[in-house]
Amino acid sequence: ARAHSAGEFRDLWEAQKGCCALCGKAMPQGRWATPHATVWKKTRPTFDHIRPRAKGGGDDRANLQLAHARCNRRKGDAWTG
């Protein structure tokens, strides 16, 4: 797994208008946009592989989207492709 850049994050954030790709709800832009660290841990934006790496997906930009940490965990390695 490679580290994703701040530029990739920014591009995805702008393309998705700050919303989770999985549930469609707004994501906090930073830790201090949430009332408590526990809320941040669940709602923070994370990189999600559209086609999971476990199922042959790569780390390229076309296979990445941003999702809440809890939504990404719930999705796991599911893929409908």
Side-chain angles (χ1 to χ4, degrees):
R2 71 171 179 83
H4 301 290
S5 74
E8 285 175 308
F9 180 88
R10 201 170 30 257
D11 291 348
L12 288 167
W13 183 270
E14 289 173 12
Q16 293 177 213
K17 297 177 176 41
C19 293
C20 175
L22 300 176
C23 76
K25 294 180 182 174
M27 296 181 289
Q29 204 161 4
R31 160 60 186 99
W32 305 113
T34 62
H36 193 275
T38 303
V39 174
W40 169 250
K41 186 176 179 182
K42 294 176 183 177
T43 62
R44 67 185 169 85
T46 60
F47 284 98
D48 172 50
H49 291 82
I50 298 165
R51 179 177 183 175
R53 290 185 322 184
K55 299 200 173 158
D59 282 327
D60 55 298
R61 166 64 181 87
N63 192 43
L64 296 174
Q65 59 188 3
L66 295 178
H68 291 115
R70 68 176 166 222
C71 295
N72 199 348
R73 259 192 315 277
R74 193 175 303 129
K75 177 188 168 203
D77 68 353
W79 180 55
T80 58

